[in-house]
Amino acid sequence: MGKDFKSMVTRCIYVGKENDNAKKLKTMTEELRDLHNNVMKRVKMYEDQQKLKRLEKVQVWLRQSDAAIKEAEEMLMMYVSSSSSSNGSTVMISSSHKVDKKICKMLKEVQEIKSRGTFDVVVENSGVVVGGGSMMVSTVDRDDQTVGLEAVSGLVWRCLTVDNTGIIGLYGVEGVGKTTVLTQVNNRLLQHKSNGFDFVIWVFVSKNLNLEKIQDTIREKIGFLDRSWTSKTEEERAGKIFEILSKKRFALFLDDVWEKVDLVKAGVPSPDGQNRSKIVFTTCSDEVCREMGTQTKIKMEKLPWERAWDLFKKNAGEETVKSHPDITKVAQEVAAKCEGLPLALVTIGRAMASKKTPQEWRDALYILSNSPPNFSGPILAISLQHIIVSFL
């Protein structure tokens, strides 16, 4: 009786440990999937919109993470199956023990792959590296992307050099070039090693605000790689980030902010004249600028017609636009439909570069005329892709 009871208790304790490992693997796999999707989203944005090529190391990581996610999910299904069929028998416990060993091994593999999922760069363009994790975008050979944005980029840069401006907000409709400006400034800081900042940190925030992910990105950039991080509470993580950043000068770039980011909860010290740190963010909302307590607010406007037309012609090709009098006229109407938004002008201009007949241009104009009334809004890139597919 005593031996049976001891055996039963031992099995219960063991099964409890199994459950913990399975839960950890499930959580870690979900986090890896989120990271995989985020990296893929950034890669696809550059590939689809700017025709850039992903780096080989990024492609390898995407393959490895995808395979690990699938394997982990299959293993968890096996675990559920083995657990449900086990009635406490020695044979079933032994089988479950083997599954748990595999789960422990898989957990380590998923953790290792996840730890390699933060990239400073994700794509390349004719040998010029542009950004992903830290969102660097080289201004070399990028005039077609930055027409009319140089002045704004220069203004943000000047804000980084004065002491009375700690939080800078860039706002305007989607597609107007906010991220391009932010990446130019970020890239310029990273290129100048003697920029005066100890840390230059880029965080892609997005619509679904996740404070834990923001903290995780920051701690990787500041070099806090202690394994105890995952077991810390939100407050403890904030305390560790604050402890490090409060002793350093940092530039924090927050891209695509939809609502107020509580920097205190994240552990980010407030920029002031003493620490001379800077926080720059992009948003579509003037209200978010107010809630974030910006000292300098910069509204980004659409391009005036002359510049918009020049940008469109540069991407569609002067020869194509001037190849027929009818094409020139229709091309102007197509460019006007882009409403002065650089992203739309570049994307549609490039899509029309191969169209050599007036009818093809008239077809494109018809498609644009029957698309949503404007290109503003959170689905801009998706809308452009659908329109381009219609051009083919």
Side-chain angles (χ1 to χ4, degrees):
M1 176 89 177
K3 288 183 178 180
D4 290 342
F5 178 74
K6 184 176 181 181
S7 176
M8 181 181 72
V9 170
T10 301
R11 288 198 299 269
C12 288
I13 292 173
Y14 176 73
V15 170
K17 290 181 178 178
E18 281 186 317
N19 286 335
D20 287 343
N21 288 331
K23 288 177 181 177
K24 288 179 182 177
L25 179 59
K26 182 176 182 294
T27 300
M28 192 60 65
T29 302
E30 290 173 351
E31 291 178 358
L32 179 59
R33 186 190 295 106
D34 288 342
L35 183 59
H36 174 97
N37 291 341
N38 189 28
V39 173
M40 179 61 80
K41 179 180 177 181
R42 296 201 306 267
V43 169
K44 291 296 290 180
M45 179 184 72
Y46 283 113
E47 288 181 337
D48 295 344
Q49 297 175 15
Q50 301 175 20
K51 308 303 179 186
L52 303 179
K53 180 182 178 182
R54 68 183 68 179
L55 290 173
E56 180 61 28
K57 68 177 182 179
V58 175
Q59 177 61 17
V60 170
W61 183 86
L62 286 169
R63 283 200 302 265
Q64 290 176 342
S65 59
D66 185 56
I69 290 168
K70 291 177 180 176
E71 186 176 351
E73 289 175 342
E74 290 175 1
M75 193 169 294
L76 287 168
M77 289 180 65
M78 286 176 55
Y79 169 76
V80 172
S81 176
S82 65
S83 297
S84 61
S85 61
S86 175
N87 296 313
S89 68
T90 303
V91 174
M92 288 301 181
I93 289 293
S94 176
S95 174
S96 184
H97 177 57
K98 291 179 181 179
V99 173
D100 186 58
K101 280 187 173 181
K102 292 180 179 180
I103 286 178
C104 289
K105 183 180 178 181
M106 192 73 236
L107 178 59
K108 290 179 181 179
E109 182 179 340
V110 169
Q111 288 173 325
E112 190 276 329
I113 293 175
K114 181 175 176 287
S115 70
R116 294 188 283 107
T118 300
F119 298 97
D120 286 336
V121 293
V122 295
V123 292
E124 58 182 317
N125 182 23
S126 302
V128 179
V129 178
V130 301
S134 59
M135 296 299 288
M136 291 182 293
V137 176
S138 174
T139 56
V140 178
D141 297 327
R142 292 297 299 272
D143 291 340
D144 59 334
Q145 296 282 332
T146 59
V147 173
L149 304 183
E150 297 87 348
V152 181
S153 179
L155 178 57
V156 175
W157 182 260
R158 286 194 294 277
C159 288
L160 297 181
T161 63
V162 297
D163 294 338
N164 61 347
T165 298
I167 303 179
I168 303 104
L170 282 172
Y171 75 104
V173 297
E174 188 171 355
V176 80
K178 301 183 298 294
T179 297
T180 300
V181 167
L182 202 63
T183 52
Q184 285 178 344
V185 176
N186 181 75
N187 187 56
R188 187 174 173 184
L189 273 183
L190 293 173
Q191 286 177 336
H192 292 76
K193 299 300 181 183
S194 58
N195 56 48
F197 290 94
D198 299 296
F199 297 116
V200 178
I201 306 165
W202 181 287
V203 180
F204 179 67
V205 181
S206 78
K207 188 173 184 178
N208 300 315
L209 179 63
N210 187 320
L211 196 64
E212 183 178 343
K213 288 185 177 181
I214 292 175
Q215 289 179 320
D216 203 43
T217 301
I218 293 174
R219 69 100 179 180
E220 289 174 354
K221 294 299 181 181
I222 62 180
F224 185 79
L225 304 176
D226 195 303
R227 291 184 177 180
S228 66
W229 177 265
T230 55
S231 63
K232 293 183 182 297
T233 65
E234 181 182 287
E235 292 75 16
E236 288 173 333
R237 292 194 296 268
K240 182 56 65 175
I241 290 173
F242 184 86
E243 178 185 338
I244 295 174
L245 288 183
S246 61
K247 300 173 184 176
K248 302 290 184 179
R249 188 186 183 206
F250 63 88
L252 174 62
F253 295 98
L254 302 172
D255 188 34
D256 198 21
V257 177
W258 286 69
E259 60 185 280
K260 178 185 177 181
V261 178
D262 195 327
L263 298 174
V264 175
K265 280 189 176 181
V268 178
S270 297
D272 55 37
Q274 185 175 355
N275 60 35
R276 298 172 56 241
S277 293
K278 305 291 179 181
I279 296 173
V280 190
F281 66 91
T282 67
T283 180
C284 292
S285 169
D286 182 21
E287 179 67 16
V288 170
C289 287
R290 187 188 65 77
E291 293 175 348
M292 290 287 290
T294 57
Q295 278 105 27
T296 299
K297 188 170 63 173
I298 303 171
K299 183 177 182 180
M300 295 192 61
E301 305 283 359
K302 298 177 182 180
L303 295 179
W305 168 247
E306 293 77 10
R307 288 197 171 190
W309 176 232
D310 286 341
L311 180 57
F312 183 85
K313 286 189 296 182
K314 185 166 186 176
N315 285 276
E318 289 275 359
E319 285 189 14
T320 299
V321 173
K322 295 180 179 179
S323 62
H324 192 286
D326 289 347
I327 289 181
T328 303
K329 183 180 180 224
V330 178
Q332 289 181 330
E333 295 182 65
V334 170
K337 291 289 183 182
C338 296
E339 300 186 358
L341 297 173
L343 178 57
L345 290 159
V346 170
T347 306
I348 293 179
R350 287 177 177 172
M352 296 305 298
S354 61
K355 310 304 178 185
K356 306 297 183 183
T357 67
Q359 187 57 50
E360 288 177 306
W361 281 83
R362 282 192 286 268
D363 290 342
L365 179 59
Y366 175 81
I367 292 170
L368 287 170
S369 298
N370 288 276
S371 296
N374 60 64
F375 285 115
S376 302
I379 58 171
L380 172 64
I382 298 174
S383 298
L384 289 175
Q385 288 303 313
H386 287 168
I387 291 170
I388 290 171
V389 169
S390 301
F391 289 174
L392 300 179

